[in-house]
């Protein structure tokens, strides 16, 4: 088939008057040709559902049947995909229901806040060893909604419709059969999905006004309706001729079919014994996570995270699995909080964070090798760095928190950055599965036991020697999670390009200094306790009691206070209540209040008049008397602290004169 054939009876001059690709007239294949193709597909060991989905999808069944006699080989990491290159009707192919490009917007059941409609399980290899996938879905409506959401976001984030409207789909989609098993008893549904090319097929469906639910459940269940949809376009071209079609009709006809590499078989490498769904994901990863079209760092780490979990959960030839299937689902965020109780897993998110860190980053070189295997399956990197393993662990940790906040970059990004730095603490590598004080299913006093063990390690000088003990490290990991999630954040990134007096220590260094002190251990314990209770984090003194401001209120824990209290010196800072040290701590509270006021004003300015409209206060203003009261109060504070600056300048001038 040529790219720009001239319709019989036409001329080159006539063709040039209509811009864009003119496909050869599509014809509806004979039923006998479809049946012959189905017989040939059965010879490749496919299920009856996969056979039917492929046979009815082929634009030229006879051409595809010939290609089945000598399928092309597509090498991927872990095996070889056997493919037949042909054209498929667009009304038979769907975007991948779990497209990796959607990672950053998924809902995870563990968050306890998302709806289950978006929390679909990742496709697995179909039983029987065929080159097919299988996915479980609650109901047809849940899958239909997921497909609709995926299509909408793909069309919005990766708009291709204008190009396809002119030239059709140029690069072939990699198409794989998928069987959907419905948990509500609805009959299984056999689909063809674009393992690679979901953006392209979504743009095609947008041009043709196709709804994914109609393709999956209406045309997928009724060949007569599918053939009727194709036939009406073929009749239109025959009746009117290409030149007489409207431009909108031409755009739709160009999108009526797509080039495809249909996967009809899979040959796993004998050495690895990799499963089909892993090979498909590896192919997707090598296509998108590596150039030419990266997904972006956060989504790349999400994709790597699932590959790493697969690697950790699969036993090796001579080794057992590193994590159980239940732990894999817990780490992936696909286990709901109700299901955690049955599985005997903890519902506290800091315990989950510590278990992820322990499983992906602890255990020394043995764990690193298993994690690197998962990363290499998508990136082909020979030597992934430790920082990359840390980033993957952090992305798993953020999944429950990120659900519902995927578009709030101001909230997510700084917390991602802090945890990525905090969990580079070298002592984490020495965490072992058999040595832990508080893990899933432990009693209610386990946190206190962890605190006491960390205090004992500090009394023995661990931390000052340059290395934290295992209890100190476990408590540091859990406290870092809550300190990063808090508002305001009690642990932040180091300062870049600051003055000599700015604290430019990284988060891991601050944690080590903090957990080396008895007061810091009590502070970490309080951060975990308060974080689990949903309370704000407050500063504690040497005895673990809450510190209070001059007004008698508990002092909110901030990054400035943490860095001031745990400066990393050989001895802990005294709990000063007089003099410069006490004043500098109070000044940190003043700065935090000013910053919070600025954020609150910015937040009020962003309140719209209506959804998507302009700022309310920019358009409507605010009550003058209330604004005057606020400004008078701010003016009094401003004049007062300006006096402090004047006094400091006077003293500096006097000192300079004397010298």
């Amino acid at each position: 088939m040529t790219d720009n054939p001239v319709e019989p009876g036409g001329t080159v001059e006539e063709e040039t008057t209509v811009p864009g690709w003119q496909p050869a007239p599509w014809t509806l294949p004979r039923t006998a040709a479809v049946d012959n193709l189905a017989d040939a597909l059965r010879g490749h060991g496919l299920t009856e559902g996969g056979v039917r989905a492929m046979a009815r999808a082929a634009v030229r069944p006879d051409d595809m049947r010939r290609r089945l006699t000598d399928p092309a080989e597509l090498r991927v990491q872990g095996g070889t995909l056997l493919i037949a290159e042909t054209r498929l009707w667009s009304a038979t192919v769907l975007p991948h229901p779990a497209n990796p490009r959607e990672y950053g917007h998924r809902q995870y059941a563990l968050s306890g806040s998302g709806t289950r409609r978006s929390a679909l399980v990742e496709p697995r290899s179909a039983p029987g060893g065929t080159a097919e996938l299988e996915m479980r879905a609650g109901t047809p409506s849940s899958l239909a909604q997921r497909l609709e959401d995926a299509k909408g976001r793909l069309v919005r984030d990766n708009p291709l419709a204008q190009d396809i409207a002119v030239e059709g789909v140029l690069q072939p989609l990699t198409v794989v059969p998928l069987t959907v098993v419905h948990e509500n008893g609805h009959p299984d549904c056999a689909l063809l999905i674009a393992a690679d090319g979901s953006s392209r097929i979504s743009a095609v469906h947008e041009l043709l006004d196709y709804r994914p639910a109609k393709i999956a459940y209406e045309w997928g269940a009724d060949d007569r309706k599918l053939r009727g949809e194709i036939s009406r376009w073929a009749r239109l071209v025959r009746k009117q001729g290409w030149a007489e079609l409207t431009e909108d009709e031409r755009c739709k006809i160009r999108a009526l079919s797509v080039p495809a590499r249909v996967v009809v078989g899979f040959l796993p490498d004998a050495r690895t014994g990799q499963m089909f769904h892993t090979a498909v994901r590896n192919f997707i990863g090598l296509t998108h996570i590596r150039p030419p079209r990266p997904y972006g760092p956060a989504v790349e780490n999400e994709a790597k995270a699932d590959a790493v979990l697969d690697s950790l959960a699969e036993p090796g030839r001579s080794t057992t699995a590193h994590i159980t299937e239940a732990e894999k689902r817990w780490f992936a965020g696909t286990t709901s909080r109700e299901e955690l109780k049955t599985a005997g897993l903890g519902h506290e998110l800091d315990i989950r964070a510590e278990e992820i860190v322990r499983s992906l980053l602890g255990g020394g070189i043995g764990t690193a090798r298993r994690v690197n295997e998962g990363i290499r399956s998508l990136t082909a990197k020979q030597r992934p760095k430790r920082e990359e393993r840390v980033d993957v662990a952090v992305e798993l940790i953020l999944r429950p928190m990120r659900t519902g906040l995927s578009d709030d970059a101001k909230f997510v990004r700084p917390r991602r950055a802090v945890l990525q730095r905090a969990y580079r603490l070298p002592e984490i590598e020495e965490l072992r599965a058999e040595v832990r004080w508080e893990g899933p299913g432990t009693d209610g006093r386990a946190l206190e036991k962890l605190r006491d063990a960390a205090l004992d390690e500090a009394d023995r000088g661990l931390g000052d020697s340059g290395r934290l003990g295992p209890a100190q490290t476990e408590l540091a990991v859990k406290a870092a999670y809550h300190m990063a999630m808090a508002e305001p954040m009690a642990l932040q990134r180091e300062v870049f390009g600051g003055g000599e007096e700015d604290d430019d220590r990284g988060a891991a260094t601050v944690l080590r200094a903090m957990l080396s002190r008895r007061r810091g251990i009590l502070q970490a314990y309080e951060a975990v306790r308060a974080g689990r209770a949903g309370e704000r984090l407050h500063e504690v003194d040497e005895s673990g009691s809450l510190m209070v401001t001059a007004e008698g209120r508990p002092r909110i824990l901030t990054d400035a206070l943490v860095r001031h209290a745990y400066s990393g010196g050989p001895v802990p800072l005294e709990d000063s209540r007089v003099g410069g040290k006490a004043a500098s701590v109070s000044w940190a509270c003043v700065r935090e209040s000013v910053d919070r006021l600025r954020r609150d004003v910015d937040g009020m300015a962003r309140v719209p008049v209506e959804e998507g409209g302009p700022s309310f206060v920019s358009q409507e203003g605010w009550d003058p008397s209330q604004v005057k009261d606020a400004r008078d109060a701010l003016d009094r504070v401003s004049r007062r602290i300006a006096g402090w600056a004047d006094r400091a300048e006077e003293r500096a001038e006097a000192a300079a004169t004397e010298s």
Side-chain angles (χ1 to χ4, degrees), residues 96 98 103 106 120-124 134-136 281 306:
H96 197 312
Y103 266 122
R106 289 189 188 176
L120 292 177
V121 179
E122 288 285 324
R124 303 284 296 179
E134 183 177 283
M135 169 185 269
R136 307 193 75 84
R281 188 179 57 221
D306 279 333

Side-chain angles (χ1 to χ4, degrees), residues 101-142:
R101 202 179 291 277
E102 286 285 291
Y103 266 122
H105 305 278
R106 289 189 188 176
Q107 302 282 324
Y108 289 99
L110 187 58
S111 69
S113 62
T115 60
R116 290 186 61 86
R117 77 176 192 185
S118 297
L120 292 177
V121 179
E122 288 285 324
R124 303 284 296 179
S125 302
T130 63
E132 298 180 68
L133 299 175
E134 183 177 283
M135 169 185 269
R136 307 193 75 84
T139 63
S141 61
S142 65

Side-chain angles (χ1 to χ4, degrees), residues 254-268:
R254 291 180 185 122
L256 196 60
S257 75
V258 292
R261 296 183 294 194
V262 185
V263 178
V264 296
F266 174 58
L267 301 175

Side-chain angles (χ1 to χ4, degrees), residues 195-366:
D196 171 51
S198 290
S199 294
R200 279 167 279 165
I201 195 63
S202 295
V204 165
H205 292 169
E206 184 76 0
L207 284 169
L208 291 165
D209 298 321
Y210 287 170
R211 289 185 301 105
K214 190 168 190 174
I215 295 173
Y217 291 105
E218 186 174 333
W219 293 339
D222 192 333
D223 288 352
R224 183 179 57 81
K225 290 184 178 180
L226 171 66
R227 292 174 67 85
E229 167 64 18
I230 298 167
S231 180
R232 75 182 180 95
W233 290 108
R235 287 197 306 269
L236 179 66
V237 176
R238 286 198 307 269
K239 180 179 179 180
Q240 295 188 205
W242 183 258
E244 298 302 317
L245 297 174
T246 66
E247 186 52 32
D248 181 65
E249 290 169 341
R250 294 192 196 103
C251 292
K252 286 179 166 55
I253 292 169
R254 291 180 185 122
L256 196 60
S257 75
V258 292
R261 296 183 294 194
V262 185
V263 178
V264 296
F266 174 58
L267 301 175
D269 286 350
R271 181 177 57 84
T272 62
Q274 199 156 79
M275 300 184 73
F276 177 64
H277 75 276
T278 305
V280 171
R281 188 179 57 221
N282 292 349
F283 170 73
I284 298 172
L286 289 172
T287 303
H288 287 287
I289 294 179
R290 303 300 291 168
R293 190 176 184 84
Y295 287 145
V299 179
E300 285 183 21
N301 289 329
E302 282 269 40
K304 294 174 193 173
D306 279 333
V308 166
L309 293 182
D310 272 350
S311 177
L312 295 177
E314 293 175 2
R317 288 182 176 272
S318 58
T319 59
T320 59
H322 192 66
I323 60 175
T324 66
E325 282 295 324
E327 288 173 327
K328 175 183 172 182
R329 294 187 62 215
W330 185 33
F331 293 170
T334 57
T335 302
S336 67
R337 297 191 176 188
E338 292 73 21
E339 293 169 329
L340 290 177
K341 299 177 183 178
T342 305
L345 299 171
H347 67 279
E348 299 293 355
L349 293 181
D350 64 280
I351 291 180
R352 174 179 174 272
E354 198 271 334
E355 289 296 315
I356 289 174
V357 166
R358 186 187 296 272
S359 298
L360 271 67
L361 307 178
I365 192 170

Side-chain angles (χ1 to χ4, degrees), residues 473-485:
T473 304
E474 181 177 327
L475 184 57
V477 171
K478 292 174 179 175
Y481 174 82
H482 289 292
M483 293 168 72
M485 293 302 114

